[in-house]
Amino acid sequence: MSEITVRALTEDEWETYRTLRLEALQESPDAFVADHDTEAGEPEEFWRARMKRSARLVAEAGEELVGVVSIGDATESESENGGQLFGLWVRPDWRGRSVAANLVRQGARIAEGQGFARLFYWVGSDNGRAVAFASSFGFRPTDERRPMRVSGGETTEDEIALVLPLGEDRAS
């Protein structure tokens, strides 16, 4: 098995991010707010602007792109000094092979390096597998809930904000 490496993409690698993002939207349409057809039609400027807004990390196994995640600012309601992990996706044939774990670990390092004190991750409240996965890294549930945001806009499920303290004081 190839070693999995994770690295941040530069703005000039917008096409790499675009390729993975569109693949994720096509393969897992219910997991994202956006839809494939809308984003597929966006011009280069859209993708470059997106690269500037948040850190985009890619997981690679040799020359193959196998996963992606983003790290950005948390919303005001979450924390004034918090980051957010979002858009986590792994190619189906690479799931269960530590790709997501590597993306989350590197994402937490980058968030801490950007000065964030905590990292938020929103997951479906009924998604026990995602909650268990995030909990294995030290993410803990908060009292924050919101309606699930999906591309169709309609759902009865809620999302829960999980939080991971960053830095030396992980108890706060």
Side-chain angles (χ1 to χ4, degrees), residues 70-87:
S70 297
I71 304 295
D73 291 332
T75 64
E76 288 180 25
S77 67
E78 293 165 339
S79 172
E80 66 183 56
N81 193 22
Q84 185 176 180
L85 182 138
F86 61 98

Side-chain angles (χ1 to χ4, degrees), residues 16 25 30 33 39 45 47 49 55 63 67 90 119 128 145 167 169:
T16 299
L25 291 173
D30 295 335
V33 177
E39 289 201 2
E45 295 76 32
W47 295 99
E63 298 292 316
V90 174
L119 187 61
R145 303 283 190 282
D169 184 10

